[in-house]
Amino acid sequence: MQALSRFSGASLAPLTAVVLLGVTAVTAQPQPRLDVPYVPTPQEVVDRMLQLGKVRAGEYHIDLGSGDGRIAVTSAARHGARSLGVDLNPVRIEEARTNAKKAGVSNRAIFELKNLFETDIGKADVLTMYLLPSVNLELRPKILRDMWPGTRIVSHAFDMGDWQPDHRESVIGRTVYLWIVPARVEGRWTIEGSHKFTVTIQQKYQQITGTADIGGKSAALRDASLSGAEIGFAVDIDGMTYRFQGIVNGDRIDGRRNEWRAARAK
């Protein structure tokens, strides 16, 4: 578990030291209050987290609460990613920078003394974290708001409440979770192609349901799925079942083979 804090200069715990020959009390420099204690992630878990996140060369990876930097350093050294580690403990930041230098990846594994809630995560391809359940829940709205559909989120040990993971597994007795940030598809869409009709979609994270309005008749969407920006569903039209698969791009959906398209109704 990596050390971090939401507070840049939070509650301080003065430390005193007795100086020999003077018996003088000395107050240490203020330290940030860390919401999450520093507990290193075992390397076997680090390796599997990055595998599940499908970290690839050239991708941008952010590790929140980076501790000694082992996740970001491994990502840069073994996967060729550009990694940013964020932590509020200056001791851990210096340790992480030293580890990156030893691994020869100081140019690709960068570490910043920074509040994770103030970190720009929107450009990351992969986000990793080992925090606490309460911190995950507080971070969840920022992830869903700021990160692009298809971004991979990997967490060691803790989930994100009612946002069910796309994958979960045990690694040497530790639980690792994977989520893929879903596109926002809730609402009414006008479908055009070989058939023209409207669909109304309800969404809870990556889980979607909905109905189609075809010539004044209503039909439930079947086998509806959403993974990142990839959407799929089936509709029965005139006794035939049609399967629609496409890519969500904001207020537009493009059919996989351009055989259909959809626009979000205003």
Side-chain angles (χ1 to χ4, degrees):
M1 188 176 299
Q2 316 303 319
L4 62 103
S5 171
R6 289 173 293 150
F7 308 99
S8 298
S11 68
L12 311 176
L15 301 178
T16 59
V18 176
V19 180
L20 296 179
L21 303 179
V23 195
T24 304
V26 179
T27 301
Q29 291 298 314
Q31 296 295 318
R33 179 169 68 83
L34 302 176
D35 290 335
V36 180
Y38 171 61
V39 180
T41 299
Q43 189 61 44
E44 297 95 325
V45 178
V46 171
D47 293 339
R48 187 55 184 154
M49 289 175 70
L50 296 174
Q51 290 170 0
L52 284 177
K54 296 183 179 179
V55 181
R56 294 183 285 268
E59 288 193 316
Y60 184 37
H61 161 233
I62 296 179
D63 184 39
L64 297 178
S66 51
D68 64 5
R70 65 182 64 190
I71 296 178
V73 169
T74 302
S75 177
R78 298 185 184 177
H79 298 266
R82 296 177 296 112
S83 294
L84 169 66
V86 175
D87 204 293
L88 262 184
N89 188 327
V91 175
R92 299 279 82 83
I93 289 292
E94 288 307 311
E95 184 179 7
R97 289 171 177 167
T98 298
N99 290 335
K101 185 175 181 179
K102 288 179 180 178
V105 292
S106 294
N107 60 327
R108 285 188 286 110
I110 308 300
F111 297 92
E112 294 183 1
L113 188 68
K114 197 169 187 178
N115 184 324
L116 73 84
F117 289 96
E118 297 173 357
T119 300
D120 181 5
I121 61 176
K123 296 180 180 178
D125 298 293
V126 182
L127 184 74
T128 56
M129 54 194 188
Y130 182 18
L131 307 174
L132 284 175
S134 59
V135 180
N136 282 11
L137 288 178
E138 190 170 353
L139 186 63
R140 186 179 69 189
K142 180 177 175 68
I143 290 173
L144 292 168
R145 180 187 68 243
D146 295 350
M147 307 198 82
W148 286 94
T151 305
R152 289 92 72 194
I153 315 296
V154 186
S155 173
H156 173 197
F158 303 113
D159 63 18
M160 282 198 274
D162 64 350
W163 183 9
Q164 295 300 308
D166 292 279
H167 179 80
R168 168 189 333 194
E169 68 178 62
S170 178
V171 182
I172 61 168
R174 310 291 188 93
T175 305
V176 177
Y177 301 87
L178 168 70
W179 295 266
I180 299 173
V181 176
R184 300 178 186 179
V185 298
E186 186 163 42
R188 189 165 175 266
W189 297 80
T190 300
I191 309 290
E192 293 185 347
S194 58
H195 294 84
K196 185 173 181 178
F197 57 98
T198 62
V199 297
T200 301
I201 296 175
Q202 292 82 42
Q203 177 177 10
K204 184 176 182 181
Y205 307 112
Q206 73 271 44
Q207 306 298 323
I208 61 171
T209 58
T211 56
D213 185 349
I214 308 165
K217 296 181 179 180
S218 181
L221 301 185
R222 296 194 291 106
D223 302 323
S225 64
L226 179 66
S227 179
E230 299 183 10
I231 189 170
F233 55 87
V235 180
D236 291 333
I237 304 175
D238 298 330
M240 298 284 291
T241 299
Y242 292 83
R243 180 70 184 171
F244 294 81
Q245 292 181 297
I247 302 295
V248 182
N249 185 4
D251 291 333
R252 189 180 78 245
I253 302 176
D254 298 309
R256 272 289 191 183
R257 293 178 294 276
N258 296 317
E259 75 281 20
W260 67 281
R261 61 188 179 276
R264 195 190 301 268
K266 301 299 184 182

